[in-house]
Amino acid sequence: DIPHMDNTSLDQTVETVGQNEGPAAEDYPAQEDTSPADMLRIKQQMANQCFEMTVQLNAGKSKRPCSTSQAERELPDCVSELEHVKTVHFNSTLALHRIQMWNAIAEKMKQTDPDATDLKAVSARCMALCSQIKRLQMETRNLQDEITEIQKERLEIKRLTHEKMKETQELLSNKEQPDSEKYKALLEKGQVNVETYKKMIIMAQNVLRGILLACKVNWLDEPNLREIVMTLEDFPISD
Amino acid sequence: MSLLKPFSKLPDLNTANILLVENEEQFQQNLADTLAEETAVTVNVRLAKSLPLPMENDESRPRIDLVVFIINLTSDKSFESAKASLKYLDPGYFLGKVCFVATNARHASVRTGCLDALRQLAALLHCPLLFAEDQVSTSSARRLLTILKVASGLVPNTTALYLSSLTRCTMPPDIDQPSFD
């Protein structure tokens, strides 16, 4: 069977590579000028390859019978578990790098060579800038608080003004009414008087007209009398 | 059945071997030239029209670290040929040593559903899907080179399987049926 043969050939390959630590040096005579860094790199490459082949071998060993659909269902869980482990590993590596870096910086600062003095100067400047930033931030916060206070006061005054305006408006509208009421009463009284006087005048005019007609007075010749008679015609004859 | 096996030969020192499989045999030439310009490691680019590879070269052929299928989205034959070639790959390759490259994705004559079908295939096989224009730009070659370097073990602490969970293609969920788990 082809898979079975593959695994045995794989075993042999891993053994060969593992024993020789890579292909024999005689096969690559032109590599004398490789630096140690290059050799390390190449060694790491081979280690990677060996690791891959080991993984492939182990994958074949733990075979348990299960259907494709079951495998598909289990795959996301495995993948997420893998992702979780990867993230944890990555975060730990990051933290480790951070610690290493800070340790290196601290060690450097303890020394007295020119690099260290430069580093100290830079870190002193950083500290100065940071404290200045803090100070400015405090100032900003205080100013902001003051602004908020002033705005609150302004709002309060506005509210009071509004209330006072409303009050004055109410008072004004209230004052107009009693005046107009008095005014109305006076007006009615006045009108009643006017009516009375009108009636009196009409009666007097009627009386005069009666007298003039009865006495057969010649009013056309007398200018004063003619004026008075003319005005009599304005008024209607009331009974 | 002559399967191409990932671990049947010894790996080469400081070398990365990549196989470009393309039905049209156009894009792969430019890509090969761009890839070969890499100086830090020796990149061997092998070209093929389809799998299975001819038996005559089997002895001289080095171990292939990454198999790249170049699919032109404007032609159906390209996709079909790539799908047929997949059968001749050992399953061991699908753990991060296979990559799909789609060209001409923005072309007007792309049949609808072609890109989706390719995406589905890549998602099913847990392989990365890269996109490239007709003219090979350095960025698409660089992306491929990154995956190749990992697949040939040149990146410390990273193997192809490790990278595959980061680069694999996923199907976007259906817009009609939003799934909020």
Side-chain angles (χ1 to χ4, degrees):
Chain A
D1 302 16
I2 295 171
H4 185 68
M5 260 171 31
D6 203 30
N7 272 352
T8 46
S9 74
L10 209 52
D11 276 331
Q12 284 173 349
T13 318
V14 172
E15 273 180 24
T16 329
V17 173
Q19 279 164 7
N20 299 354
E21 287 179 358
E26 311 92 60
D27 298 344
Y28 298 90
Q31 309 249 338
E32 298 123 356
D33 48 348
T34 44
S35 64
D38 283 340
M39 285 202 282
L40 274 173
R41 225 172 4 96
I42 293 169
K43 172 183 171 272
Q44 214 157 28
Q45 181 198 2
M46 289 301 122
N48 256 349
Q49 298 281 16
C50 286
F51 177 70
E52 271 197 337
M53 291 193 267
T54 327
V55 165
Q56 189 79 352
L57 280 174
N58 287 335
K61 280 189 195 143
S62 62
K63 260 198 182 77
R64 55 193 174 106
C66 74
S67 61
T68 325
S69 56
Q70 195 182 4
E72 285 286 316
R73 262 179 280 137
E74 287 179 10
L75 187 63
D77 292 333
C78 298
V79 166
S80 54
E81 206 185 304
L82 201 65
E83 293 289 316
H84 178 71
V85 172
K86 272 194 214 176
T87 341
V88 166
H89 174 259
F90 188 68
N91 287 339
S92 318
T93 318
L94 264 183
L96 182 69
H97 285 328
R98 269 205 297 272
I99 295 172
Q100 282 176 333
M101 222 183 52
W102 277 115
N103 190 37
I105 290 177
E107 288 296 312
K108 189 71 185 175
M109 296 248 268
K110 285 187 201 152
Q111 296 164 5
T112 46
D113 46 344
D115 287 336
T117 33
D118 284 340
L119 201 60
K120 280 189 205 134
V122 167
S123 72
R125 182 136 188 276
C126 279
M127 294 267 281
L129 286 170
C130 279
S131 39
Q132 195 178 15
I133 287 171
K134 254 182 85 172
R135 213 170 5 96
L136 287 170
Q137 277 180 339
M138 282 287 287
E139 271 186 46
T140 323
R141 201 173 323 150
N142 289 340
L143 286 171
Q144 196 68 35
D145 286 341
E146 280 182 37
I147 288 172
T148 325
E149 283 300 311
I150 290 174
Q151 275 182 337
K152 269 200 261 185
E153 281 178 31
R154 191 162 147 264
L155 216 67
E156 188 63 31
I157 287 175
K158 240 176 141 172
R159 194 181 60 84
L160 283 172
T161 329
H162 215 67
E163 272 186 26
K164 292 293 172 203
M165 289 276 299
K166 260 192 349 198
E167 273 179 37
T168 33
Q169 262 193 352
E170 268 183 39
L171 283 173
L172 276 172
S173 58
N174 283 348
K175 252 195 275 184
E176 277 170 11
Q177 285 202 356
D179 281 3
S180 67
E181 277 172 17
K182 267 195 263 174
Y183 186 58
K184 260 189 223 156
L186 277 173
L187 201 65
E188 277 174 22
K189 247 171 110 185
Q191 274 182 337
V192 164
N193 284 349
V194 164
E195 288 299 313
T196 329
Y197 283 129
K198 241 169 139 175
K199 281 190 194 141
M200 280 166 63
I201 289 168
I202 287 169
M203 252 201 291
Q205 280 182 339
N206 281 346
V207 167
L208 186 59
R209 202 190 337 221
I211 294 173
L212 286 173
L213 282 171
C215 299
K216 293 193 176 67
V217 176
N218 191 2
W219 46 267
L220 285 165
D221 298 330
E222 276 286 329
N224 295 343
L225 213 51
R226 196 177 27 203
E227 264 180 57
I228 293 171
V229 170
M230 286 301 155
T231 61
L232 281 178
E233 302 304 317
D234 293 349
F235 276 60
I237 299 174
S238 64
D239 33 353
Chain B
M1 251 245 295
S2 53
L3 292 177
L4 188 64
K5 299 204 180 76
F7 297 115
S8 52
K9 299 188 189 176
L10 287 178
D12 299 321
L13 286 184
N14 209 28
T15 313
N17 300 319
I18 184 171
L19 173 67
L20 304 176
V21 179
E22 187 190 1
N23 191 268
E24 286 79 23
E25 293 182 305
Q26 308 169 310
F27 185 78
Q28 55 184 195
Q29 192 57 54
N30 290 336
L31 188 57
D33 293 334
T34 322
L35 283 173
E37 284 167 20
E38 173 69 22
T39 49
V41 290
T42 322
V43 179
N44 287 334
V45 187
R46 318 279 296 192
L47 305 176
K49 186 173 157 107
S50 66
L51 296 175
L53 298 174
M55 293 297 286
E56 305 89 52
N57 304 2
D58 202 41
E59 293 304 316
S60 61
R61 192 183 306 131
R63 168 215 253 214
I64 302 288
D65 295 313
L66 184 66
V67 178
V68 180
F69 288 97
I70 300 172
I71 296 172
N72 189 345
L73 286 176
T74 51
S75 101
D76 287 335
K77 214 160 145 278
S78 188
F79 188 37
E80 298 302 320
S81 150
K83 272 211 287 202
S85 306
L86 283 173
K87 293 198 257 294
Y88 295 96
L89 271 186
D90 184 83
Y93 265 110
F94 289 101
L95 295 173
K97 289 183 184 277
V98 170
C99 181
F100 288 96
V101 172
T103 59
N104 285 331
R106 291 195 277 199
H107 211 257
S109 60
V110 169
R111 194 172 53 88
T112 48
C114 200
L115 178 58
D116 280 338
L118 177 57
R119 251 219 182 98
Q120 226 161 5
L121 181 67
L124 194 66
L125 299 169
H126 298 280
C127 296
L129 172 62
L130 301 180
F131 291 90
E133 294 297 320
D134 233 355
Q135 309 90 26
V136 180
S137 60
T138 42
S139 53
S140 47
R142 216 200 327 265
R143 270 178 245 139
L144 210 54
L145 204 58
T146 317
I147 300 182
L148 173 62
K149 279 196 196 159
V150 171
S152 46
L154 292 163
V155 177
N157 289 332
T158 318
T159 56
L161 188 55
Y162 185 91
L163 191 67
S164 71
S165 63
L166 295 173
T167 54
R168 63 195 180 96
C169 178
T170 47
M171 276 302 286
D174 255 335
I175 302 174
D176 304 330
Q177 302 141 8
S179 59
F180 298 100
D181 294 321

